[in-house]
Amino acid sequence: MMVKNKKSPYISLIFTILLLFTQPLMATVYDLGSVNKRLIGKTTMHTVVKGDYFQQLAEQYNVAFLALLAANPQHDPFILKIGAQLVIPSEMLLPFITRQGIVINLPELRLYYFSPQENKVHVFPVGIGRDGLSTPLTSTVIGEKRKDPIWRPTQAMQERHFAEHGKYLAKEVPAGPNNPFGKYALRLGTSEYLIHGSNKRFGIGMRASSGCIRMYDNDIKWLFDNVPLNTKVRVINQPVKMSYENGEKQLIEIHQPLTDLEVTKNNAILTKAMHRFVGSTREYWQQLLPIIETPHGLVVELAK
């Protein structure tokens, strides 16, 4: 007589847990609160266990790889000491913008989507244009949505690839595992720039693209399913974000500027707005000078 093998409920539970840790989390969702509140999230600490490395942790916590690196400069991103404490940069100040549609702040490698139906914001890590091929600043809309997009390299891409490798790219790559656009793409207006998925996990949360905005597969699918055509999109450049919280806390968040952008050449951090915000208190400037020299992208409270 044959005995049926009954699956233990614990096996299903273990399988579900493993799935959670082998796929990137979906966007982090935050309640916005009042219009005067700009601080969202909270800093998370992660204790390193065997097998941890930065790319895996960036995917696990759905934060930008470079943001994780900046927040933990004392650690080797590939050889982490077991038991070490890492800062997960999951606390942030909202950029100084109207809370509407999609906002991509290039220096912090984050995409914000402000839900029109509820007072919430969805935050995703993104990959952006590499040095010399910067993602352009723009104010536009989602002009087109594509499922299983075909990738057709531009003439400029073809020329760059030929100069570097001595051969041209394929004229087009159909949908599938070799397609650099992944499974979904959102066009910015009528331009050649897209918010899209990727067939390579490494590069999200970094400056690695030819100007388009890359996202993890789960994240771009969520945007594709939930963001309608003609949603407003703003690509901005705010390396420094500041806020008075509760009318008393003086908070500042500084990211590495993208100095190849024309608008951030010369003094990208020490702006007039920052001088007004920090004021003339010597202790504040002493606190900020090391961060200005080496930005870590974390929210700091100015204190005497």
Side-chain angles (χ1 to χ4, degrees):
M1 183 177 67
M2 295 182 65
V3 179
K4 291 184 179 180
N5 181 22
K6 294 183 179 180
K7 290 185 178 179
S8 165
Y10 295 107
I11 294 176
S12 298
L13 177 60
I14 292 169
F15 182 71
T16 301
I17 292 172
L18 286 173
L19 279 178
L20 286 173
F21 284 95
T22 54
Q23 299 180 16
L25 300 175
M26 297 298 287
T28 309
V29 185
Y30 302 97
D31 289 316
L32 289 173
S34 71
V35 293
N36 296 321
K37 179 178 179 290
R38 294 179 61 202
L39 179 67
I40 58 173
K42 61 181 180 179
T43 298
T44 303
M45 300 301 296
H46 175 86
T47 302
V48 174
V49 298
K50 186 177 180 180
D52 280 350
Y53 58 98
F54 269 34
Q55 177 63 28
Q56 163 253 325
L57 291 173
E59 294 188 33
Q60 179 179 325
Y61 288 99
N62 216 23
V63 298
F65 175 87
L66 289 182
L68 190 60
L69 196 64
N72 300 277
Q74 72 275 30
H75 295 284
D76 186 314
F78 302 104
I79 307 174
L80 294 171
K81 185 177 179 181
I82 294 174
Q85 293 289 303
L86 298 182
V87 179
I88 306 301
S90 48
E91 179 183 53
M92 68 208 77
L93 297 173
L94 293 172
F96 188 70
I97 37 78
T98 304
R99 300 177 181 183
Q100 179 185 6
I102 292 172
V103 176
I104 300 156
N105 190 17
L106 298 179
E108 61 177 314
L109 297 156
R110 286 188 183 117
L111 181 151
Y112 298 86
Y113 175 62
F114 295 91
S115 174
Q117 286 86 24
E118 50 190 358
N119 194 33
K120 296 180 184 294
V121 61
H122 301 251
V123 183
F124 306 85
V126 293
I128 63 172
R130 60 185 180 270
D131 192 8
L133 292 170
S134 296
T135 302
L137 305 180
T138 186
S139 180
T140 183
V141 296
I142 297 298
E144 183 185 359
K145 299 170 72 172
R146 300 179 189 172
K147 184 177 180 181
D148 296 325
I150 296 172
W151 183 70
R152 297 183 179 92
T154 64
Q155 186 60 37
M157 288 181 187
Q158 291 281 19
E159 291 171 0
R160 283 195 303 272
H161 194 271
F162 184 83
E164 293 172 7
H165 304 284
K167 60 181 180 180
Y168 290 106
L169 295 162
K171 290 185 177 180
E172 67 177 40
V173 177
N178 296 321
N179 190 307
F181 284 164
K183 298 177 181 178
Y184 301 93
L186 307 176
R187 178 178 291 278
L188 301 186
T190 58
S191 75
E192 64 183 22
Y193 294 99
L194 306 172
I195 304 171
H196 64 77
S198 177
N199 64 338
K200 296 179 181 178
R201 307 194 70 75
F202 196 74
I204 312 300
M206 299 177 67
R207 299 196 64 185
S209 80
S210 296
C212 285
I213 296 146
R214 295 179 183 174
M215 302 183 72
Y216 289 124
D217 286 344
N218 287 351
D219 291 346
I220 186 61
K221 183 181 187 306
W222 189 93
L223 277 188
F224 185 91
D225 291 340
N226 290 278
V227 176
L229 285 171
N230 297 314
T231 294
K232 188 171 183 178
V233 179
R234 285 155 294 169
V235 181
I236 63 173
N237 178 32
Q238 291 184 18
V240 180
K241 300 182 291 179
M242 300 164 283
S243 179
Y244 287 100
E245 292 291 310
N246 301 322
E248 51 186 38
K249 282 189 177 182
Q250 208 166 343
L251 306 179
I252 190 165
E253 178 185 337
I254 302 175
H255 295 266
Q256 186 67 43
L258 308 183
T259 52
D260 58 319
L261 287 178
E262 190 64 34
V263 292
T264 52
K265 287 182 178 178
N266 303 318
N267 221 335
I269 292 178
L270 292 170
T271 61
K272 291 180 179 179
M274 182 175 174
H275 277 287
R276 287 194 300 269
F277 181 81
V278 178
S280 58
T281 305
R282 178 179 298 180
E283 290 88 347
Y284 290 175
W285 287 108
Q286 288 175 337
Q287 183 182 358
L288 285 176
L289 284 176
I291 302 170
I292 292 170
E293 186 175 342
T294 309
H296 54 41
L298 300 174
V299 176
V300 172
E301 180 179 357
L302 297 181
K304 294 182 181 179

